[in-house]
Amino acid sequence: MAVLEGIVRRLVKAGAGNNSMMAGYDDLGQLRVSTSKPEYYELSRARRVFGVSSATGTAIAPVTAVPTTAAAWSLFNGEDAGGKAYVVLGAFAWLVSGTAGLGASLLGSVSIAPVAGTKPTAYANSIMSSLSGGPTSPKAIFAQGLTLVGTPAWVHLAGRDVPAAIEVGAAITADVKGMLVIPPQYTGNLTVLSPAGTTPLWGAGFIWAEVEADLE
């Protein structure tokens, strides 16, 4: 019979060079797991979490029917084959101007094939950065208006009952939690589905982590 040894101690940082193989227990003798830290803390501490938004770039009108190969916003994984995967943690959109139609849905997808030909062009006036104060993503490109190779499944990520009125800043926020994984040379895509309204224009963005992944 194997015996697992452990130590009971307060929640403190382990000393440098600590090579102990003992498990950590709380004061009730229960095995302590990583819920003692915020959900994405370790990824962010390793400077693997990034964010991008269209910022002051040209805002985009919503679609009034589920799209096929047209993406309003796309996050391109510029890694070479076998490189890091981009794991989408969150996505968001906000009304920049105009009068929205009643209700809006933020749709997301991952392309079913790599980008063909020339890689996408960066979205003018968009902003991308690390979310832990480090350098920005070395190979990610945030683009607008891509035509995808093939039609992916567009899924509902989040929605809101946007009133049929001027409501600049009304936002849709999706907690994606890694449901969308973008392989090297593929794109993750967003589009707002909403009634036509009166010339509503939306901005959008992604939060993602870059991790080594064996995508089978």
Side-chain angles (χ1 to χ4, degrees):
M1 181 179 67
V3 177
L4 179 64
E5 294 187 11
I7 183 172
V8 176
R9 65 180 181 188
R10 295 185 182 276
L11 190 61
V12 295
K13 183 178 179 180
N18 184 353
N19 296 316
S20 172
M21 297 297 291
M22 290 192 296
Y25 293 89
D26 63 18
D27 58 342
L28 299 176
Q30 305 297 309
L31 182 63
R32 178 181 288 143
V33 292
S34 60
T35 53
S36 57
K37 293 181 179 179
E39 186 171 2
Y40 299 119
Y41 169 77
E42 290 294 347
L43 281 169
S44 196
R45 189 172 73 91
R47 291 185 167 170
R48 297 294 192 94
V49 179
F50 303 91
V52 69
S53 81
S54 53
T56 61
T58 302
I60 298 176
V63 297
T64 56
V66 176
T68 55
T69 61
W73 304 275
S74 297
L75 176 63
F76 172 66
N77 182 344
E79 295 274 342
D80 295 328
K84 296 183 182 71
Y86 293 0
V87 181
V88 179
L89 306 177
F92 51 92
W94 71 96
L95 187 63
V96 175
S97 63
T99 302
L102 180 60
S105 173
L106 181 61
L107 304 180
S109 71
V110 174
S111 60
I112 62 175
V115 170
T118 306
K119 67 183 180 180
T121 302
Y123 196 150
N125 296 317
S126 62
I127 297 177
M128 180 186 301
S129 70
S130 164
L131 295 186
S132 55
T136 191
S137 170
K139 298 192 176 181
I141 296 175
F142 187 53
Q144 69 178 123
L146 286 191
T147 298
L148 308 178
V149 179
T151 302
W154 289 88
V155 298
H156 169 83
L157 299 177
R160 65 169 292 159
D161 292 330
V162 179
I166 296 174
E167 195 181 31
V168 173
I172 305 172
T173 303
D175 192 3
V176 182
K177 291 185 176 292
M179 178 174 62
L180 303 180
V181 178
I182 309 169
Q185 300 299 308
Y186 286 66
T187 61
N189 313 289
L190 298 174
T191 290
V192 172
L193 173 65
S194 179
T198 305
T199 62
L201 298 174
W202 292 78
F206 288 91
I207 299 170
W208 74 98
E210 299 188 2
V211 299
E212 288 78 8
D214 180 10
L215 296 174
E216 299 178 351

